[in-house]
Amino acid sequence: MAFDFTRYRRIVVLTGAGISAASGLRTFRGPGGIWDDAQVAECGHVATLWARPQRTWALFGAMREPVAAARPNAGHRALAQFEARLQPEQDFLLITQNIDGLHQQAGSRRVVELHGNLRTTRCSEEGCTLEPFADDASYAAGVPRCRLCGGVLRPDIVLFGEMLPMQALSHVQQALQDCDLFIAVGTSGTVTPAAEFVRAARYAGAHTVYLNLEPMRPRHPAFAEELLGPAEELLPRWLGTA
Ligand code: APR
C-alpha cells in the first residue's frame, strides 16, 4: 500500500465525523447518527436558536461533555505526524467539518475549522464586541446571556441555515485552487460546500481519494480512488506513520 506522497506539493485533507468515531464521538448520520432523531435535527438549525435557544443548547450543550472527555485517536495522530514530516516545499491544509478540536489536540497545526468549535461560546448579537471565549458549560439550566449586551450566547459553531465563516472559506478555496492531492476522510459528503470541495480539487488536476468505512453511494464522480476501512486503522498505515 506504499503510496508515494513525496510527489505531491499541495496536499488538502477534508475530515468529517467518522475520524472522531474511534474517540467515542457519535457521527451525525449512519448507524446511531445524531440526526436520526428528527427532533434533534431541528435543533441544529439557526431558526431554532432565534426562536427557542434553549433547544439549541439542549443539543449542543449536551455534546460538550463527551467532546471534553474525548481524546485524539490514531487517525488524528497519523494526520498530525504526516503533516510534521512533510518537506518544506510541500503545502498542507487540514479542513475539518468537526467541531471537537481533536485535530489540534493531536498536534495538527494547519487546520481550518469549517463549522467552528464547540469548545467556544460567543454572543449571537451582530456588532457585539464580546470576544468568543473557551467554555465547557452545558447551560442545561437556562440560556446564557451576554454580559455586555444581554444578547443570547451561542456555541461558536455553524448551524444549518448559516453561512460559513468567510475567512475559512477563502482559505479553503485558495488551497483547493492548486491542490494536487485531495483526501476526504470519514465524511458522508452530504453537506455543502464541503461535499463539493472534491470537485474543485479534481478541476485543479488533483488526485482525489475517498477514505471511509463505507463505499460512497452514489459514488461522487470526482473521486479517483476509494480506500475502505476505519480511518484509525487505515491512516497510520497508508500515511506511513504507523
Ligand atoms: N473511519 C472512517 N469513516 C467512518 C468511520 C471510521 N471509523 N466511522 C464512520 N465513518 C464514516 C461514515 O461511513 C460516514 O460516511 O464517517 C461518515 C460520517 O458522516 P456524517 O455523520 O454525515 O458526518 P459528516 O460527513 O462529518 O457531516 C458533515 O453535517 O451534520 C452536519 O455540520 C455537521 O459537520 C457535519 C456535517
Side-chain angles (χ1 to χ4, degrees), residues 20 25 67 72 76 96 98-107 111 113 116-119:
S20 295
L25 296 178
V67 163
H76 297 106
T96 188
N98 299 339
I99 56 177
D100 56 34
L102 290 177
H103 284 301
Q104 295 91 323
Q105 274 190 53
V111 179
E113 293 181 307
N117 192 316
L118 186 62
R119 298 163 187 252

Side-chain angles (χ1 to χ4, degrees), residues 65-196:
E65 192 181 331
V67 163
R71 294 292 172 265
N73 63 58
H76 297 106
R77 288 194 298 273
L79 283 170
Q81 287 157 22
F82 175 75
E83 176 187 0
R85 294 180 184 174
L86 289 173
Q87 298 305 311
E89 66 274 12
Q90 291 181 291
D91 278 350
F92 178 83
L93 185 65
L94 171 51
I95 307 163
T96 188
Q97 300 172 92
N98 299 339
I99 56 177
D100 56 34
L102 290 177
H103 284 301
Q104 295 91 323
Q105 274 190 53
S108 288
R109 294 182 25 256
R110 287 166 276 185
V111 179
V112 168
E113 293 181 307
L114 207 57
H115 296 162
N117 192 316
L118 186 62
R119 298 163 187 252
T120 309
T121 294
R122 67 178 165 87
C123 181
S124 58
E125 289 301 319
E126 286 298 315
C128 178
T129 56
L130 183 81
E131 281 296 313
F133 57 95
D135 187 9
D136 59 7
S138 64
Y139 300 111
V143 174
R145 290 281 170 171
C146 174
R147 60 183 168 73
L148 294 187
C149 74
V152 166
L153 292 182
R154 58 170 289 172
D156 192 17
I157 60 174
V158 178
L159 297 170
F160 285 117
E162 290 191 298
M163 297 287 289
L164 294 188
M166 281 316 290
Q167 198 180 3
L169 257 189
S170 59
H171 193 168
V172 165
Q173 277 153 358
Q174 203 177 352
L176 289 173
Q177 260 162 13
D178 53 6
C179 91
D180 52 12
L181 178 60
F182 178 85
I183 307 165
V185 180
T187 178
S188 60
T190 41
V191 171
T192 56
E196 287 310 315

Side-chain angles (χ1 to χ4, degrees), residues 16-19 21-22 27-29 35 97-98 115 160 186-191 210-214 229-232:
I19 198 168
T27 59
F28 292 97
R29 299 166 186 84
W35 297 150
Q97 300 172 92
N98 299 339
H115 296 162
F160 285 117
T187 178
S188 60
T190 41
V191 171
Y210 177 83
L211 189 155
N212 199 296
L213 211 49
E214 312 280 337
E232 62 277 13

Side-chain angles (χ1 to χ4, degrees), residues 1-70:
M1 186 190 272
F3 186 97
D4 180 10
F5 290 96
T6 58
R7 48 199 280 249
Y8 297 98
R9 289 285 172 276
R10 304 269 186 286
I11 302 171
V12 175
V13 178
L14 170 68
T15 63
I19 198 168
S20 295
S23 296
L25 296 178
R26 291 170 68 190
T27 59
F28 292 97
R29 299 166 186 84
I34 292 168
W35 297 150
D36 283 355
D37 172 351
Q39 283 270 49
V40 157
E42 173 239 340
C43 297
H45 200 282
V46 66
T48 303
L49 179 73
W50 292 330
R52 301 171 70 187
Q54 66 280 12
R55 292 179 58 79
T56 304
W57 277 111
L59 170 63
F60 293 106
M63 275 188 205
R64 278 185 161 170
E65 192 181 331
V67 163

